[in-house]
Amino acid sequence: MAKFFPIGQIMGFVFSLILTVIAMLVYFTDMSFTTGMIILLVTAFIQAGLQFMVFMHAGETEDKWAIYSNIIYGIGLIVLTILGTLLILIWDM
Amino acid sequence: MSEFFAQFAVPHPSTLIYIAMASIVLGSIALVAVVTYFKLWGYLWREWITTVDHKKIGIMYLIVALVMLFRGGVDAVMMRLQLAVPENSFLDAQHYNEVFTTHGVVMILFMAMPFITFFFNYLVPLQIGARDVAFPRLNNLAFWLFFMGMGLFNISFIIGGSPDSGWTSYFPLAGNEFSTSVGTNYYMLSLQIAGLGTLLTGINFITTIFKMRAPGMTLFKMPMFTWSALIANLIIVFAFPVLTVALAMGTMDRLFDTKFFAIGDGGMDMLWANLFWVWGHPEVYILILPAFGIFSEVISTFSRRNLYGYNSMVWSMIVISVFSFAVWTHHFFTMGQGAFTNSIFSITTMAIAIPTGVKIFNWLFTMYKGKIEMTTPMLYAMHFIPLFTLGGVTGVMLAMSAADYQYHNTMFLVAHFHNVIIPGVVYAMLAGLTFYWPKMFGFMLNERIGKATVWVMSTGFVLAFIPMYITGLDGQARRMYTYSESTGFSMLNMLSFVGAGIMSVSFLMLVWNIWYSFKNSPRDIGSDPWDARGLEWATHTPIPHYNFAITPDVTDSTSEAFWDSKKNGTKLFKGEIKDIHMPNNSGQTFILSVFFFIGGFALVFSMFTLAIISLIGILACMGYRSMEDDHGYHIHKHEVEETEKSYDKKGGAK
Ligand code: HEM
Ligand SMILES: [Cu+2]
């Protein structure tokens, strides 16, 4: 039965729709720039994680540790690069 | 009509450029004539252009690298000649700008990059016991995209004018206001296309190393070069997209007048320098790590023992891969950010010397406990260690941001990076080339000429670059096309010119060695002439198309599987020969890349109709590919057996 009815995928789909709606509310409701940005960032990261896990099957193979460590490595580098850039070009200019 | 053709003229021509133009045209005609006369077009198309064989693709990278080494070398000698005496007028300021820009781009992106990619291609599948890379056709596409980017860059100096704002191409200098020729368009678009190829290589090799290792080969049993390739490709995948984005923004600034890197209108010129070095510093580690990998193979082979401290070697590379992304600001300490930021990046930069030092000590300990045999590759390694260490030490000097205000953009900096890149990367490439030459071509390079080459090269290197440390500290700026007598730089610059001349002699000796050995070296050298250690030497020479008749099993071996099989009799090839599944060749990738070339060329000259046509061509090729079903083919068991028998008669490895 599980094979014919991919409950995980459907839940994932619904959840990603909910996330999209939350993100869209930022545009349609009146809130401060900071709050809006925080909501967007948080929903975006959860959305990306969801897509990785549910639709790109990141956690379903034997070498999932390699995929996860690559993702973590990538996120680490991105955070490093962005913080460094902000430091160089704005905060400490 | 004449207006149309006028845009292709070189804006600032000289006799030299006209001579180059004529010789390129005549050379191309001659080449086409020879290929046609000997009816080689079909052979080239079937065996090389469309090939998906990692070994052949590797050789094509090698050829590009050697040709570009020559081109970059000619540029270098021209620069040294111009600076040999004060107030020289061999090159004017504009030509000097064009020459150093071309030299930098060609050497880093079109010489060093294809050289390491040649080793990725040739060695990684053999070292992990695979028959090809994970995505063979993508590999062919990566080569051709790289090749087209290279070609586009190289025609700039005869069609429309060379880029002239440095290999770093800083804005606002590289913007339309100060760089009025199409040169910088060439820079942006050719690096974009070639960089796309490099990115594909990165993805391909990470997948290959993760997915296609022989049974029993855990990550910590991989040969050291494969480890270095894995880490370098990881850095490629994370660093090159930054370059892609920066180049796209720069292209838009130049073609469509956007303001990303403009000084006013909300643009930010420093953003280019920032993005460029976010890619640029990892890039120098992309080059040096595979070089370290090659030296590790060479040093353990000719010290006749296993590599000292395998695990610490691997971990130091992993640490370097993270740190290489945390130091980029050291390239622009002087450009306006505060002391706090500079201090942070000073410390990270100095810290990266630690894992590098760990590797140096590991090589020293390997030799200390070993029985050294001084072959040509080993001699390169022996010259590498002290010279590279000197470059590392001056790097740490530059890393001190307060002191860097004195060194930055002087000849001291130029001496530093040549001091790490030549003994580091170039020596490694030549050591590796000499080491693997018999595996690739079935004969050895002459050892006497080879060793003499190393000594001449190092002599030339020291004479050419050590004087720059001194003139740099005395204030000779880089990228200046001349200087006056009263600066007192004359003698040392003349010395540098002599050194550059001696280095050129050493490269000619290399060419002579290839020719001499081709004529004179014996061909019955078996498949393991150096008594080497890694799985790549467990193949026959010449390596059959399918690499290994039986997939090797290294469950009972160490990272030096072939050595174990020779010394302890560990069985590598278990089971029996079966049908072998191989990928098909394809010409689509070449056609796709030609569309990229045309599109790039069109954009350089803002010919948008042509650009859109080639974009449609690109999309059509991709669409065709996604509809296609290609399952490869099988080499039948009895064919494999027959091939293997023919080797037995010749007496190769079993
Ligand atoms: C211990 C290791 C190293 C340290 C601490 C170091 C440090 C530095 C610093 C601080 C600079 C900038 C100096 C300035 O602009 O004033 C620099 C420039 C440079 N380094 Fe290194 N470096 C190291 C190793 C390497 C290696 C291994 C390579 C290449 C394989 C390399 C290639 C370069 C290049 C190409 C530049 C100059 C780029 C340009 O401005 O055109 N460095 N290095
Ligand atoms: Cu750097």
Side-chain angles (χ1 to χ4, degrees):
Chain A
M1 189 61 198
K3 265 195 195 135
F4 296 104
F5 192 71
I7 187 76
Q9 259 73 5
I10 295 194
M11 296 277 283
F13 183 60
V14 171
F15 202 56
S16 84
L17 283 183
I18 295 174
L19 284 168
T20 313
V21 170
I22 296 176
M24 269 170 63
L25 284 182
V26 174
Y27 181 76
F28 290 109
T29 48
D30 208 17
M31 58 177 76
S32 78
F33 180 76
T34 330
T35 335
M37 256 346 239
I38 290 173
I39 294 177
L40 282 183
L41 275 175
V42 170
T43 49
F45 273 100
I46 299 178
Q47 182 77 267
L50 189 82
Q51 300 286 332
F52 261 124
M53 307 278 293
V54 181
F55 298 112
M56 296 166 93
H57 310 278
E60 292 171 20
T61 45
E62 231 174 76
D63 48 7
K64 59 176 168 214
W65 68 268
I67 295 174
Y68 284 134
S69 35
N70 260 313
I71 292 173
I72 292 168
Y73 179 83
I75 292 176
L77 291 185
I78 292 165
V79 170
L80 191 75
T81 309
I82 292 176
L83 288 184
T85 301
L86 287 172
L87 181 69
I88 296 162
L89 294 178
I90 296 176
W91 297 335
D92 196 28
M93 207 41 174
Chain B
M1 200 62 189
S2 70
E3 218 170 273
F4 176 76
F5 285 109
Q7 65 178 330
F8 300 122
V10 179
H12 188 71
S14 72
T15 327
L16 272 179
I17 293 181
Y18 286 130
I19 295 175
M21 221 182 258
S23 44
I24 287 177
V25 171
L26 292 178
S28 317
I29 293 174
L31 197 69
V32 171
V34 168
V35 173
T36 312
Y37 182 80
F38 288 104
K39 299 202 173 66
L40 290 175
W41 287 115
Y43 165 78
L44 278 181
W45 178 258
R46 278 188 314 272
E47 297 291 323
W48 293 94
I49 295 174
T50 61
T51 187
V52 290
D53 182 343
H54 69 98
K55 302 183 284 296
K56 285 186 174 166
I57 293 177
I59 302 277
M60 294 197 287
Y61 275 112
L62 174 64
I63 293 169
V64 173
L66 291 175
V67 172
M68 287 297 110
L69 181 63
F70 176 76
R71 160 129 210 226
V74 171
D75 287 334
V77 172
M78 291 201 309
M79 285 187 284
R80 283 330 309 177
L81 182 61
Q82 165 63 20
L83 293 182
V85 290
E87 317 278 8
N88 199 357
S89 56
F90 168 62
L91 298 173
D92 61 22
Q94 174 60 24
H95 283 141
Y96 193 80
N97 292 348
E98 293 175 7
V99 172
F100 73 65
T101 302
T102 307
H103 170 77
V105 174
V106 162
M107 284 303 204
I108 300 266
L109 286 145
F110 302 132
M111 187 284 285
M113 283 305 280
F115 227 136
I116 61 163
T117 316
F118 150 62
F119 283 112
F120 294 160
N121 267 285
Y122 208 90
L123 293 183
V124 167
L126 298 178
Q127 286 201 328
I128 62 175
R131 296 213 164 96
D132 209 322
V133 294
F135 309 116
R137 198 189 285 194
L138 195 69
N139 202 21
N140 177 293
L141 177 63
F143 172 76
W144 284 115
L145 283 177
F146 163 78
F147 184 90
M148 295 301 165
M150 184 277 300
L152 190 61
F153 187 85
N154 274 285
I155 59 170
S156 65
F157 84 118
I158 53 168
I159 305 175
S162 282
D164 57 358
S165 42
W167 84 282
T168 48
S169 216
Y170 282 160
F171 282 78
L173 176 62
N176 282 329
E177 194 181 339
F178 300 105
S179 295
T180 46
S181 83
V182 294
T184 306
N185 296 354
Y186 271 114
Y187 173 98
M188 299 283 160
L189 289 153
S190 64
L191 296 200
Q192 187 69 279
I193 296 171
L196 218 55
T198 305
L199 189 57
L200 297 183
T201 300
I203 293 167
N204 207 343
F205 278 87
I206 292 178
T207 317
T208 305
I209 294 172
F210 271 128
K211 293 303 244 187
M212 300 186 55
R213 297 194 307 278
M217 188 178 283
T218 56
L219 282 179
F220 276 82
K221 267 203 268 176
M222 295 196 308
M224 195 48 71
F225 177 76
T226 298
W227 256 114
S228 72
L230 175 62
I231 305 286
N233 282 299
L234 200 68
I235 306 182
I236 286 178
V237 168
F238 285 102
F240 268 76
V242 182
L243 180 69
T244 303
V245 169
L247 290 170
M249 290 158 82
T251 310
M252 288 198 268
D253 269 15
R254 290 190 54 88
L255 295 185
F256 309 121
D257 235 5
T258 53
K259 303 285 180 189
F260 291 114
F261 305 131
I263 297 182
D265 299 326
M268 197 184 239
D269 52 332
M270 274 301 294
L271 186 58
W272 166 270
N274 187 65
L275 290 175
F276 183 87
W277 288 114
V278 167
W279 162 80
H281 188 85
E283 165 67 15
V284 306
Y285 275 91
I286 292 168
L287 298 180
I288 201 70
L289 288 178
F292 287 171
I294 295 279
F295 280 129
S296 297
E297 302 288 345
V298 165
I299 288 175
S300 71
T301 302
F302 296 111
S303 301
R304 302 292 174 214
R305 57 154 296 171
N306 57 340
L307 198 62
Y308 181 92
Y310 178 97
N311 286 348
S312 62
M313 283 293 215
V314 171
W315 281 109
S316 62
M317 284 197 287
I318 294 173
V319 171
I320 286 176
S321 82
V322 177
F323 267 69
S324 70
F325 282 95
V327 299
W328 75 96
T329 316
H330 68 215
H331 292 278
F332 48 90
F333 278 147
T334 59
M335 294 193 200
Q337 62 280 7
F340 173 66
T341 311
N342 278 359
S343 313
I344 293 177
F345 283 94
S346 276
I347 292 167
T348 53
T349 305
M350 288 183 227
I352 210 169
I354 298 170
T356 316
V358 169
K359 301 185 75 77
I360 301 265
F361 279 106
N362 279 335
W363 290 315
L364 291 177
F365 286 136
T366 307
M367 289 190 275
Y368 176 68
K369 281 286 170 66
K371 219 169 123 232
I372 296 177
E373 190 182 332
M374 201 55 77
T375 57
T376 306
M378 189 62 175
L379 194 60
Y380 275 114
M382 299 298 274
H383 286 217
F384 149 75
I385 292 178
L387 290 175
F388 180 83
T389 307
L390 181 64
V393 170
T394 57
V396 177
M397 289 171 70
L398 290 163
M400 288 179 250
S401 55
D404 189 53
Y405 276 80
Q406 176 68 21
Y407 314 136
H408 182 59
N409 276 355
T410 66
M411 291 313 246
F412 188 89
L413 166 69
V414 176
H416 154 69
F417 67 73
H418 286 88
N419 205 163
V420 278
I421 291 180
I422 294 175
V425 183
V426 177
Y427 279 25
M429 299 299 106
L430 298 179
L433 187 63
T434 316
F435 187 48
Y436 289 106
W437 190 273
K439 178 87 329 209
M440 293 186 289
F441 302 114
F443 63 93
M444 310 265 279
L445 292 178
N446 183 286
E447 279 287 293
R448 259 199 23 250
I449 307 177
K451 283 183 212 169
T453 309
V454 185
W455 282 106
V456 174
M457 198 176 290
S458 291
T459 312
F461 170 78
V462 168
L463 283 179
F465 290 99
I466 303 297
M468 290 186 203
Y469 281 124
I470 303 168
T471 60
L473 288 181
D474 278 346
Q476 186 181 5
R478 76 191 285 201
R479 295 177 174 169
M480 297 292 282
Y481 83 109
T482 193
Y483 54 91
S484 72
E485 176 90 67
S486 60
T487 54
F489 300 148
S490 320
M491 223 266 295
L492 290 170
N493 276 282
M494 180 47 98
L495 209 58
S496 278
F497 172 61
V498 174
I502 296 177
M503 285 193 82
S504 317
V505 171
S506 72
F507 287 110
L508 293 179
M509 286 168 74
L510 187 74
V511 176
W512 163 245
N513 195 356
I514 292 174
W515 175 248
Y516 180 88
S517 310
F518 175 70
K519 286 271 162 207
N520 297 312
S521 285
R523 306 294 147 123
D524 55 343
I525 51 169
S527 57
D528 178 27
W530 301 108
D531 193 11
R533 312 174 80 86
L535 205 48
E536 70 271 31
W537 296 97
T539 52
H540 302 295
T541 301
I543 305 174
H545 180 45
Y546 47 77
N547 296 349
F548 300 94
I550 301 170
T551 305
D553 183 329
V554 297
T555 316
D556 309 320
S557 325
T558 63
S559 64
E560 300 181 321
F562 185 50
W563 185 255
D564 294 336
S565 81
K566 283 194 290 188
K567 293 302 131 166
N568 311 327
T570 322
K571 212 163 164 350
L572 276 181
F573 302 109
K574 297 167 192 164
E576 55 190 64
I577 294 177
K578 299 192 196 104
D579 285 0
I580 293 176
H581 185 211
M582 296 298 285
N584 281 325
N585 287 359
S586 166
Q588 288 169 34
T589 45
F590 179 75
I591 297 168
L592 178 61
S593 309
V594 169
F595 278 120
F596 265 96
F597 181 88
I598 299 172
F601 185 81
L603 283 180
V604 167
F605 291 95
S606 305
M607 300 186 286
F608 295 113
T609 327
L610 187 57
I612 290 171
I613 294 174
S614 34
L615 180 66
I616 294 171
I618 290 167
L619 293 176
C621 285
M622 288 163 66
Y624 181 82
R625 170 61 178 143
S626 50
M627 304 293 162
E628 190 196 11
D629 237 352
D630 178 9
H631 297 294
Y633 67 99
H634 284 86
I635 308 178
H636 285 288
K637 190 176 139 181
H638 62 264
E639 278 177 70
V640 179
E641 276 163 356
E642 238 155 67
T643 317
E644 292 296 305
K645 250 187 234 133
S646 73
Y647 283 108
D648 287 347
K649 264 184 244 137
K650 280 189 245 160
K654 301 269 155 60

